[in-house]
Amino acid sequence: GNLYYYGREYGPVKEQTILVNFVKSWTVFNSNVLAAHFGPCLMDEKTDITFDGADSDESKSENNFNAGAVYGIQASLPKSGPLYLAVSWDSHIFAAGINGGLLLSSGRKQAISLVGGVALK
């Protein structure tokens, strides 16, 4: 599984996004370097609009939750010793609201990540 957290702030607008996914991986082309993965994901996206000196009723806050699917591909160094290094690309796909299924529209979040670790024995 993976956890992604990112956000941005510009002027009175502050956005924060949390993505959690749980994936099943399998090798691609019998390679010990390439792996594909697929699974379910959850997203929490929060947007706050706060104006300096504004009344509390003029400030807005919105928190959106969504569930969807994730697929991606990962390239890692061949396993030799305790060191693990990889780069991964993930595409998270969500139905765009209740009418998303009817209108075949979707929301998407892309993530590129660098993964590193050491096996402890």
Side-chain angles (χ1 to χ4, degrees):
N2 298 300
L3 170 70
Y4 297 103
Y5 172 79
Y6 59 93
R8 60 184 175 172
E9 191 171 336
Y10 47 98
V13 180
K14 182 178 182 181
E15 294 179 338
Q16 297 176 359
T17 303
I18 298 173
L19 284 167
V20 178
N21 65 40
F22 307 95
V23 295
K24 168 72 174 136
S25 296
W26 61 92
T27 60
V28 178
F29 307 120
N30 291 326
S31 170
N32 61 350
V33 175
L34 288 177
H37 49 266
F38 178 80
C41 63
L42 299 170
M43 178 183 69
D44 178 18
E45 193 169 50
K46 184 177 181 182
T47 304
D48 293 321
I49 301 174
T50 307
F51 296 101
D52 291 336
D55 294 333
S56 61
D57 61 338
E58 293 177 350
S59 297
K60 302 291 182 195
S61 183
E62 185 175 294
N63 203 6
N64 296 310
F65 296 95
N66 211 336
V70 59
Y71 64 89
I73 191 160
Q74 183 177 54
S76 62
L77 291 178
K79 294 179 181 168
S80 61
L83 188 62
Y84 179 79
L85 291 172
V87 62
S88 179
W89 167 76
D90 295 317
S91 180
H92 303 80
I93 299 175
F94 306 95
I98 296 173
N99 293 328
L102 297 174
L103 302 175
L104 299 178
S105 60
S106 65
R108 185 173 304 215
K109 298 285 184 184
Q110 307 287 331
I112 296 175
S113 58
L114 299 173
V115 182
V118 176
L120 301 175
K121 289 187 180 188

